[in-house]
Amino acid sequence: MSKLYIVGIGPGDFEYLTYKAVETVKNADIVIGSKRAIDLFDEVNEKIIFNVKNLHGNLEESVDIAKEGKDVALLSTGDPGFSGLLKPILEISEEKGFPRENIEVIPGISSLQLASSRCKIPWDSANIMTFHGRENIEDILPIIDNGLETIALPSRKVKDMAQFLIDNGADPNRQVIVCERLSYPDERIFRGSLEEVSHSEFTYMCVMVILNE
């Protein structure tokens, strides 16, 4: 029976692809993902490029194609299980009656993992939070002072999150690290205060590390 592979492609550079990801994509009948993701792979059979304005529709299409009998590799930035495509695909598959056992997840390296390595923070002793697609970022407030470093994927501009923390009682001099465009040639690691970050511009591809200092 056909399978739907959710393939983690890592933070963005091909050097962080796993061998399993490369082999899965090579052997899939159809590969679905963003152009940036698909371009990481040298061997691809038929491909469908995401329509950014209809992402949910593309995810539904991936399940439909698998139901029709073709093996599909769905490319998910970072790791599929952390702010990736696993959650929505499980929901869509249940709605469409596609068997859960026909879904296989190929783990990838999350930008969060890469940020922890760049900052030399053991991520099993840090607060791990994602705010992608979430508006309730106030959930971070009771966490940042629990004695651990906090590694977070912001839901909005990094400077907006920094300003939000300041507006809600965080020390403007609190030290943070912003890891921007990890693994890319123009990767940048910025360390400074929340105040500095609140007046700085970063791309959307960032991880914020709030230090326990």
Side-chain angles (χ1 to χ4, degrees):
M1 185 176 288
S2 61
K3 297 193 71 170
L4 173 57
Y5 299 92
I6 311 176
V7 182
I9 64 164
D13 188 279
F14 74 94
E15 291 184 344
Y16 287 91
L17 289 174
T18 65
Y19 179 79
K20 179 71 170 177
V22 172
E23 287 297 297
T24 300
V25 167
K26 180 174 69 174
N27 293 317
D29 297 316
I30 297 180
V31 178
I32 302 177
S34 68
K35 183 179 185 303
R36 177 173 63 89
I38 293 174
D39 285 348
L40 290 173
F41 298 88
D42 292 329
E43 296 184 64
V44 176
N45 293 315
E46 186 177 345
K47 62 185 177 182
I48 297 174
I49 296 175
F50 276 156
N51 177 349
V52 294
K53 295 181 179 179
N54 187 28
L55 177 59
H56 189 79
N58 287 137
L59 299 183
E60 290 186 320
E61 183 179 16
S62 69
V63 175
D64 289 338
I65 293 172
K67 285 186 67 175
E68 292 169 1
K70 293 186 177 181
D71 288 334
V72 176
L74 180 63
L75 307 184
S76 181
T77 302
D79 182 89
F82 191 82
S83 285
L85 298 181
L86 177 56
K87 184 177 181 179
I89 281 295
L90 289 177
E91 294 172 350
I92 292 169
S93 296
E94 184 175 358
E95 293 171 0
K96 290 180 172 290
F98 185 73
R100 192 184 183 104
E101 57 268 24
N102 285 53
I103 298 172
E104 183 173 338
V105 180
I106 311 299
I109 297 174
S110 169
S111 59
L112 180 146
Q113 292 171 271
L114 192 51
S116 69
S117 68
R118 292 285 193 266
C119 300
K120 299 176 179 62
I121 296 172
W123 56 289
D124 62 350
S125 57
N127 302 311
I128 306 297
M129 306 194 75
T130 177
F131 295 95
H132 282 183
R134 294 173 54 186
E135 293 300 323
N136 54 333
I137 61 174
E138 64 272 7
D139 289 351
I140 199 173
L141 297 174
I143 300 297
I144 60 173
D145 293 318
N146 69 353
L148 303 176
E149 320 286 7
T150 299
I151 306 174
L153 298 180
S155 66
R156 55 184 75 173
K157 291 183 178 180
V158 175
K159 69 175 185 178
D160 291 344
M161 177 168 270
Q163 188 62 55
F164 172 83
L165 292 172
I166 294 171
D167 292 343
N168 285 273
D171 183 353
N173 294 315
R174 180 80 173 262
Q175 291 294 293
V176 296
I177 302 174
V178 178
C179 303
E180 182 179 26
R181 291 183 61 80
L182 287 167
S183 84
Y184 287 93
D186 57 347
E187 172 181 306
R188 179 167 68 130
I189 308 295
F190 174 87
R191 176 165 177 158
S193 67
L194 282 172
E195 183 71 30
E196 291 175 294
V197 172
S198 71
H199 294 98
S200 302
E201 293 292 339
F202 299 91
T203 66
Y204 74 95
M205 297 176 66
C206 287
V207 179
M208 175 185 277
V209 181
I210 304 168
L211 299 176
N212 179 40
E213 295 181 349

